[in-house]
CSV table of all heavy atoms in Angstrom, one decimal:
chain,number,residue,atom,x,y,z
A,9,ARG,N,-1.9,5.5,-11.9
A,9,ARG,CA,-1.8,4.5,-11.0
A,9,ARG,C,-3.2,4.0,-10.3
A,9,ARG,O,-4.0,4.8,-10.3
A,9,ARG,CB,-0.8,4.8,-9.9
A,9,ARG,CG,0.6,4.8,-10.3
A,9,ARG,CD,1.4,5.3,-9.1
A,9,ARG,NE,2.9,5.1,-9.4
A,9,ARG,CZ,3.8,5.5,-8.5
A,9,ARG,NH1,3.5,6.0,-7.4
A,9,ARG,NH2,5.1,5.3,-8.8
A,15,ASP,N,-15.9,2.8,0.4
A,15,ASP,CA,-17.0,3.8,0.6
A,15,ASP,C,-17.6,3.5,1.9
A,15,ASP,O,-18.3,2.5,2.2
A,15,ASP,CB,-18.1,3.5,-0.5
A,15,ASP,CG,-19.3,4.4,-0.3
A,15,ASP,OD1,-19.4,5.3,0.5
A,15,ASP,OD2,-20.3,4.2,-1.2
A,39,VAL,N,4.9,-12.5,3.8
A,39,VAL,CA,4.4,-12.3,5.1
A,39,VAL,C,2.8,-12.2,5.2
A,39,VAL,O,2.3,-11.5,4.7
A,39,VAL,CB,4.9,-10.8,5.7
A,39,VAL,CG1,4.6,-10.7,7.1
A,39,VAL,CG2,6.5,-10.8,5.5
A,66,CYS,N,7.0,7.7,1.6
A,66,CYS,CA,7.6,6.5,2.1
A,66,CYS,C,9.0,6.1,1.4
A,66,CYS,O,9.9,5.7,2.0
A,66,CYS,CB,6.8,5.4,2.2
A,66,CYS,SG,6.0,4.8,0.6
A,89,CYS,N,15.2,-4.3,3.6
A,89,CYS,CA,14.7,-3.7,4.8
A,89,CYS,C,15.5,-3.8,6.0
A,89,CYS,O,16.0,-4.9,6.3
A,89,CYS,CB,13.2,-4.3,5.1
A,89,CYS,SG,12.4,-3.5,6.5
A,116,GLU,N,24.0,-25.0,17.1
A,116,GLU,CA,24.9,-25.1,18.2
A,116,GLU,C,26.5,-25.1,17.9
A,116,GLU,O,26.8,-25.5,16.9
A,116,GLU,CB,24.6,-26.5,19.0
A,116,GLU,CG,23.2,-26.6,19.5
A,116,GLU,CD,23.0,-27.8,20.4
A,116,GLU,OE1,23.9,-28.6,20.4
A,116,GLU,OE2,21.8,-28.1,20.9
A,118,ALA,N,30.2,-25.9,17.4
A,118,ALA,CA,30.9,-27.1,17.1
A,118,ALA,C,31.7,-27.7,18.3
A,118,ALA,O,32.0,-27.0,19.2
A,118,ALA,CB,31.9,-26.8,15.9
A,121,THR,N,37.4,-31.5,17.3
A,121,THR,CA,38.4,-30.8,16.5
A,121,THR,C,37.8,-29.5,15.9
A,121,THR,O,38.7,-28.6,15.6
A,121,THR,CB,38.8,-31.8,15.4
A,121,THR,OG1,37.7,-32.3,14.7
A,121,THR,CG2,39.5,-33.1,16.1
A,125,ALA,N,39.6,-25.9,16.1
A,125,ALA,CA,39.8,-25.1,14.9
A,125,ALA,C,39.3,-23.7,14.9
A,125,ALA,O,39.8,-22.6,14.6
A,125,ALA,CB,39.5,-25.7,13.6
A,128,ALA,N,41.0,-21.3,17.3
A,128,ALA,CA,42.3,-20.7,16.8
A,128,ALA,C,42.1,-19.4,16.0
A,128,ALA,O,43.1,-18.9,15.7
A,128,ALA,CB,43.0,-21.9,16.0
A,134,ALA,N,36.0,-13.5,15.4
A,134,ALA,CA,35.1,-14.1,16.2
A,134,ALA,C,33.9,-13.1,16.6
A,134,ALA,O,32.8,-13.4,16.7
A,134,ALA,CB,35.7,-14.7,17.4
A,145,ARG,N,19.0,-13.1,14.0
A,145,ARG,CA,18.1,-13.7,14.8
A,145,ARG,C,16.6,-13.3,14.5
A,145,ARG,O,15.7,-13.9,14.8
A,145,ARG,CB,18.3,-13.5,16.3
A,145,ARG,CG,19.6,-14.2,16.8
A,145,ARG,CD,20.0,-13.9,18.1
A,145,ARG,NE,21.2,-14.6,18.6
A,145,ARG,CZ,21.8,-14.4,19.7
A,145,ARG,NH1,21.4,-13.4,20.5
A,145,ARG,NH2,22.9,-15.0,20.0
A,151,VAL,N,5.5,-4.1,5.1
A,151,VAL,CA,4.3,-4.7,4.7
A,151,VAL,C,3.4,-3.6,4.3
A,151,VAL,O,3.1,-2.7,5.0
A,151,VAL,CB,3.6,-5.6,5.8
A,151,VAL,CG1,2.3,-6.0,5.4
A,151,VAL,CG2,4.5,-6.8,6.1
A,168,ALA,N,-13.5,-9.8,-2.6
A,168,ALA,CA,-14.2,-10.5,-1.6
A,168,ALA,C,-15.2,-9.6,-0.7
A,168,ALA,O,-16.1,-10.2,-0.1
A,168,ALA,CB,-13.1,-10.8,-0.6
A,181,TYR,N,-11.4,5.9,-13.9
A,181,TYR,CA,-12.5,6.3,-12.9
A,181,TYR,C,-12.3,7.7,-12.6
A,181,TYR,O,-13.3,8.4,-12.5
A,181,TYR,CB,-12.3,5.4,-11.7
A,181,TYR,CG,-13.2,5.7,-10.5
A,181,TYR,CD1,-14.4,4.9,-10.4
A,181,TYR,CD2,-13.0,6.6,-9.6
A,181,TYR,CE1,-15.3,5.1,-9.5
A,181,TYR,CE2,-13.9,6.9,-8.6
A,181,TYR,CZ,-15.1,6.1,-8.6
A,181,TYR,OH,-16.0,6.3,-7.6
A,198,ALA,N,-24.8,27.2,-17.2
A,198,ALA,CA,-25.9,27.5,-18.3
A,198,ALA,C,-27.3,27.9,-17.6
A,198,ALA,O,-27.9,28.7,-18.1
A,198,ALA,CB,-26.2,26.1,-19.1
Side-chain angles (χ1 to χ4, degrees):
R9 286 177 172 177
D15 180 1
V39 182
C66 60
C89 181
E116 295 183 1
T121 56
R145 288 174 185 168
V151 172
Y181 183 93

